[in-house]
Amino acid sequence: MDIFQILKKDHQTAKDLFKKLETTGPRATKSREKLFSQLKDDLEAHSHGEEAVFYPALRENAEMVDLINEATEEHAEVENLLEDLEAMGAESEEWSSKLAELKKSVLHHVKEEEGEIFKKAKEILDKEEIQKMGKEFQEAKKQAAAG
């Protein structure tokens, strides 16, 4: 799979996990914690892969610098929200509203990435780079998950 296919697949996995989390109530603490743990691990590995492989290649293009800087800032925002959620109890109402904030942030990031960033990246990168990046991205995600 090329980098764009992999990123889209990861984005869909996150959307699916948000849907599953939204069906849990405050009393389903164990389910919430398990699903959240998976979401957190997936989002962190995904962000690491993008920042290690995808973004550096795009940042070399002057047109992409601002977009990539914004995307990196969005990753930091998501990381902060993940930490906040992890620190509070999954049974609280505050947890549900913080999860909604996380979902909004992630979906905004996905929309921008799959829109403007992907469009410009496809103009910049050749087919060989796109394939190579896919492999490197998957390796970076594995390293993030292991470490």
Side-chain angles (χ1 to χ4, degrees):
M1 284 199 291
D2 71 37
I3 187 69
F4 300 110
Q5 292 168 321
I6 295 166
L7 294 175
K8 282 185 175 184
K9 185 174 180 252
D10 281 4
H11 294 163
Q12 188 58 52
T13 298
K15 290 176 188 177
D16 293 345
L17 285 168
F18 278 119
K19 282 181 186 166
K20 288 178 184 176
L21 274 161
E22 289 170 343
T23 65
T24 65
R27 298 179 70 193
T29 307
K30 293 285 183 222
S31 294
R32 274 186 170 184
E33 288 172 353
K34 183 180 176 189
L35 289 167
F36 174 72
S37 178
Q38 183 181 352
L39 177 66
K40 182 178 182 293
D41 291 348
D42 287 357
L43 289 174
E44 288 175 344
H46 179 85
S47 293
H48 173 76
E50 284 184 334
E51 291 177 19
V53 176
F54 190 51
Y55 292 172
L58 298 178
R59 192 174 265 127
E60 292 175 16
N61 183 290
E63 284 183 43
M64 297 294 289
V65 172
D66 289 342
L67 287 172
I68 299 307
N69 288 343
E70 182 183 345
T72 303
E73 288 172 19
E74 290 170 353
H75 282 183
E77 179 184 327
V78 166
E79 183 65 34
N80 289 334
L81 290 167
L82 288 169
E83 288 173 12
D84 291 349
L85 279 158
E86 192 170 48
M88 61 178 68
E91 69 284 346
S92 73
E93 277 300 314
E94 187 181 352
W95 193 89
S96 296
S97 63
K98 187 67 75 170
L99 180 68
E101 189 180 338
L102 174 66
K103 179 182 178 185
K104 182 179 177 185
S105 181
V106 169
L107 294 181
H108 168 79
H109 176 76
V110 165
K111 183 179 179 186
E112 284 188 350
E113 195 166 82
E114 289 186 5
E116 199 170 356
I117 292 176
F118 280 18
K119 182 180 179 213
K120 287 187 178 184
K122 287 176 181 177
E123 294 170 5
I124 296 166
L125 304 169
D126 63 35
K127 287 184 180 182
E128 189 176 301
E129 288 173 308
I130 291 168
Q131 290 297 325
K132 183 180 174 206
M133 238 183 243
K135 291 176 184 150
E136 291 173 354
F137 176 82
Q138 287 179 313
E139 191 56 42
K141 275 181 55 179
K142 284 180 195 169
Q143 288 175 353

